[in-house]
């Protein structure tokens, strides 16, 4: 059990490195005036599409392959709490970003608070183990699709998550592609986020 926990922890910590390494290399190359490169030029001009490409290869394909090897799709649940944090920093640091500093700082802090709370809930549910189990819905679908599950899982578990996660993180993209200053709507949205997170935390601690 301890060996499996250590192995899964190592996998979970290593899997985002391809996307991180590529993005850092792109940032450095761009700052070194390598914008003439067609690939880097595309990466610069299409931050939203680049996020989707990185997600497709690093999450959809890599996570799917690991899930097939382990016969367990546990990792996508854990990364639901991590990918929004990665996306908000990606949008904030992309060379094409045009942002208001206050709006950017607030959304980064709120995303981290949300992620820490949800990550704590995840590990508490899993008895502080990495990859203890996969979502019960995936188990149901595994039984339902039988021998076809190996390819169905790519779409049901991973590709669908790209649509959900990239979709719910669209406000992060909008905030970092506009220099619109902080206004009352930002204040109301911030208050709503804080209330929602506080309510979730309160329910977690009061539920028997």
């Amino acid at each position: 059990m301890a060996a499996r926990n250590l192995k899964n922890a190592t996998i979970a910590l290593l899997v985002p490195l391809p996307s991180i390494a590529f993005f850092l290399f792109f940032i450095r190359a761009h700052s070194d005036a390598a914008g003439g490169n067609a690939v880097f030029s595309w990466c610069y001009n299409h931050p939203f599409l680049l996020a989707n490409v990185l997600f497709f290869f690093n999450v959809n394909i890599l996570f799917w392959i690991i899930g097939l090897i382990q016969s367990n799709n546990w990792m996508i649940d854990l990364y639901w709490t991590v990918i929004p944090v990665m996306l908000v920093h990606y949008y904030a640091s992309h060379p094409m970003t045009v942002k208001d500093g206050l709006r950017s700082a607030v959304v980064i802090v709120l995303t981290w608070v949300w992620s820490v709370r949800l990550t704590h809930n995840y590990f508490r549910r899993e008895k502080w183990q990495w990859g203890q189990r996969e979502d019960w819905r995936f188990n149901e679908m595994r039984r339902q699709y039988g021998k076809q599950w190996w390819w169905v899982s790519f779409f049901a578990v991973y590709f669908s998550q790209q649509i959900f996660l990239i979709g719910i993180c669209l406000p992060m993209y909008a905030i970092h592609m506009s220099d619109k200053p902080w206004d009352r709507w930002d204040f109301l949205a911030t208050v709503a986020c804080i209330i929602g997170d506080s309510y979730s935390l309160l329910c977690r601690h009061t539920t028997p």
Side-chain angles (χ1 to χ4, degrees):
M1 179 68 73
R4 187 183 73 172
N5 191 45
L6 179 60
K7 178 185 71 175
N8 286 344
T10 303
I11 292 172
L13 294 173
L14 291 178
V15 286
L17 293 185
S19 287
I20 294 172
F22 176 84
F23 186 66
L24 292 177
F25 181 71
F26 158 63
I27 293 291
R28 180 175 178 179
H30 177 76
S31 64
D32 290 343
N37 181 289
V39 173
F40 291 143
S41 177
W42 186 90
C43 292
Y44 174 79
N45 289 299
H46 302 89
F48 180 72
L49 292 180
L50 176 59
N52 277 276
V53 169
L54 293 175
F55 195 112
F56 182 82
F57 285 103
N58 201 154
V59 178
N60 293 356
I61 293 180
L62 183 57
F63 282 28
W64 175 61
I65 292 172
I66 294 172
L68 291 178
I69 293 172
Q70 293 191 320
S71 296
N72 190 323
N73 299 293
W74 63 273
M75 202 152 42
I76 195 65
D77 270 1
L78 172 62
Y79 266 85
W80 253 93
T81 74
V82 177
I83 289 173
V85 171
M86 298 180 68
L87 281 172
V88 76
H89 284 287
Y90 161 80
Y91 289 134
S93 58
H94 191 280
M96 201 177 178
T97 187
V98 181
K99 62 188 178 184
D100 174 75
L102 178 58
R103 296 176 84 210
S104 176
V106 169
V107 75
I108 289 173
V109 169
L110 289 176
T111 304
W112 268 100
V113 170
W114 172 86
S115 177
V116 169
R117 178 187 62 79
L118 201 61
T119 301
H120 175 266
N121 289 346
Y122 169 83
F123 278 110
R124 188 171 67 170
R125 184 193 74 189
E126 300 300 307
K127 299 181 172 33
W128 307 101
Q129 300 292 311
W130 298 76
Q132 177 72 8
R133 58 182 176 177
E134 65 178 358
D135 191 301
W136 64 269
R137 291 167 292 186
F138 303 156
N139 282 319
E140 291 290 330
M141 287 189 283
R142 188 189 303 277
R143 287 193 290 269
Q144 179 182 352
Y145 289 101
K147 293 181 179 180
Q148 306 301 317
W149 176 241
W150 72 271
W151 67 266
V152 171
S153 63
F154 177 82
F155 298 97
V157 179
Y158 299 104
F159 187 73
S160 62
Q161 306 292 346
Q162 177 170 353
I163 298 172
F164 294 145
L165 276 166
I166 295 290
I168 65 173
C169 291
L170 273 175
M172 301 174 184
Y173 173 74
I175 286 171
H176 290 102
M177 294 299 143
S178 169
D179 58 358
K180 178 184 175 183
W182 179 274
D183 60 22
R184 65 180 182 276
W185 295 109
D186 296 303
F187 174 77
L188 291 174
T190 300
V191 171
C193 287
I194 293 173
I195 291 174
D197 234 22
S198 301
Y199 179 75
S200 297
L201 188 62
L202 179 64
C203 289
R204 175 64 61 180
H205 284 287
T206 56
T207 301

